[in-house]
Amino acid sequence: MRLRALLETDALGLRLLGGDEELDRSVRGVMTTDLRDPSRYLTGGELVLTGLAWHRDAKDSEPFVRILSGAGVAGLAAGEAELGAIPDDLVEACRHHRLPLFAVHETVAFATITEHVVRQVSGERAGDLAAVVDRHRRLMTSGPTGGGPEVVLDLLGSDLDLHAWVLSPTGRQIAGAGAPLSGPVGAELAGLHLAAMRSGRRAPHRVTVDGVTYSLFPIRNHGRGAVPASRDVRESVLSDWLLAVEADAGDWPAARLDLLQGVTQLIAVERDRRDAARTVRRRLAQEVLELVQAGAPPAEIAARLRVAAPVLLPGLGSAPHWQVVVARVEWDQADAPGGSGSGIAGGPVAQALLEEILVDPAVTGPDSADRFAVAHTGDEAIALVPLPALADVRPEADVSQDPARGPAQDPALHADSLLAAVRTPLSAGLADDGRLTLGVSASVHSPEGLRGALEEARHARRVAAARPGRVCAAGHHELASHVLLLPFVPDDVRRAFTARLLDPLRDYDGRHRAELIPTLEAFLDCDGSWTRCAARLHLHVNTLRYRVGRIEQLTGRDLSRLEDKLDFFLALRMS
């Protein structure tokens, strides 16, 4: 807005004391100050409001106005409430520095002027930014010259003072302007967004995390192959991106809401481009998978892998090792063959989700999933994950920082930590009618091992599926222990076995608060060592012996016998 517009607004009651020739200056903001030197808070273009508390005598005006002029402020408005009239020395200093000066009547609050200026400036900026967004959308739609979503997010920050981030459904930051969101905050925002989408609430979704209010906007994929908006939300909710804005959109005008909707559509173009770029990797994985499942000769599979390796691991000198990861998304009330809920095709949903899960949560950017390929067959998604051989991992590389990896120098994926950063938000998206189960194979060093790795990952996934919870995973190491057997024990047998051994102890604990169950767990965990168990529980050894004796008396078992220890161990694991 121009300074001239302030004089034309009767409600502000401003009176011009000097600077008629400078009234076409642009006002970009407003600041109230009574500091003698406010320069550190000025960026240029402000209308400065002052109550003149800094004015003690005539010599104070010249340095004050000189500071304002040097900072490039648009004008000065001085209140008459403090001194009754504007000092002549201030009028003369403003005339000397060609700084427009206004008198503010004592009946007019500075807040009224501030609100008017902010409203006018914000409206103009929003209109300018809307034009930029529209132009940027056309650029990105017609070719890769738009610069990506970061450009528009930067404009939101610089022109509207809105901090915004693009997040994946697991809360991983894909794009942002300024300081990044912390991992826990991103995950919580993603979970709240998914829960709101599943409940059918209308966007934007306003939430508060750690005392900060955010408005969450869904970014829907409107490009080729996108799911129509009329279809079941479960087909896309686990793969859609979201825009998180640090602001409360509840009192925004319609124009600003429309602007943010335009921003989400612009970012959806980037999402379309990302999906198109993954087509090659998906096709490679599909070809290798079909060869493996068909029992093709290892030489033929190796030939396809030689084609895939440069795409998935560019620059790697030696042939990689491989892991296979299998994922399945299932919905309750299945009415279609194969177990996909309500007719939803499970394979594509699991494919998009697995592509996100396998990305290191610390990695930002939309193209961070370029080093693996995911195909889908039926209701399964199958990932072919190339791993550098241990000899190719630099000794100084700290791969232990990746929560989905094992100890340092081990590049392999581990099921027990793979979902650690994403379990909470994904559980919100699955709500009370969906499940995600995932199995991870051991690494294999040659094409001959891929078929066994695929079967191993599928079997591990079945072990995970037998566990309670919305998001479960199992790894190859669990297939060589008793854990493999427990999920396949019939439910009635499990209940009878655990009840016979543990119900007497639970009943006794309920009546006497004797903590026999925790004592039994600690005793078995300490391999029957009296001293280590007593130290862990902070008990005297005689007290521990009394509790163990009570356990044996109530159950008729002897904890010095291996068979009885094993029975108790299995009962605790199955309970």
Side-chain angles (χ1 to χ4, degrees), residues 280-289 291 300-316 318-322 370-374 384-386 450:
V280 174
R281 292 188 296 278
R282 288 171 171 173
R283 185 181 301 120
L284 287 172
Q286 195 73 43
E287 291 175 356
V288 173
L289 175 62
L291 290 174
E300 187 176 354
I301 299 174
R304 296 308 302 157
L305 289 177
R306 281 194 294 272
V307 174
V311 176
L312 301 176
L313 280 180
L316 187 64
S318 60
H321 299 173
W322 303 90
D370 289 352
R371 295 206 166 191
F372 50 81
V374 183
L384 187 64
V385 183
L450 278 178

Side-chain angles (χ1 to χ4, degrees), residues 498-507 517 520 568 571-572 575:
T498 57
R500 187 166 57 251
L501 282 174
L502 301 183
D503 279 3
L505 306 183
R506 292 193 181 105
D507 292 343
I517 292 289
L520 176 61
F568 277 122
L572 289 169
S575 64

Side-chain angles (χ1 to χ4, degrees), residues 23 32 68 106 125 132 166 168 181 184 198 202 226 255 308 312 328 340 346 367 375 497 502 504 508-509 521 528 543:
L23 290 180
T32 300
L68 298 188
E106 62 182 5
R125 287 181 177 175
V132 172
V166 179
S168 78
L181 283 176
R198 287 302 313 275
R202 185 175 180 180
L312 301 176
R328 188 183 184 101
S340 59
D367 298 322
F497 181 72
L502 301 183
Y508 191 86
D509 282 345
E521 291 175 333
T543 303

Side-chain angles (χ1 to χ4, degrees), residues 167-172 174 187 189-201 203 205 216-221 226-243 271 274 329-331 341 344-346 348-354 356-357 422 424-436:
L167 303 178
S168 78
T170 65
R172 183 177 62 87
I174 293 168
L189 288 175
L192 292 169
H193 173 74
L194 290 172
M197 293 293 290
R198 287 302 313 275
S199 69
R201 285 164 44 198
H205 309 123
L216 309 178
F217 296 80
I219 298 173
R220 305 307 300 268
N221 189 343
V227 177
S230 60
R231 298 288 296 278
D232 194 318
V233 68
R234 292 176 293 180
E235 291 187 274
S236 60
V237 69
L238 296 176
S239 58
D240 283 343
W241 292 352
L242 68 132
L243 177 67
R271 177 64 187 271
R274 192 286 307 263
V329 175
E330 298 173 289
W331 304 99
I344 300 173
V349 176
Q351 180 183 44
L353 188 55
L354 189 53
E356 174 59 32
I357 291 173
V422 302
T424 298
L426 293 184
S427 295
L430 293 162
D432 57 357
D433 62 348
R435 291 199 75 208
L436 167 68

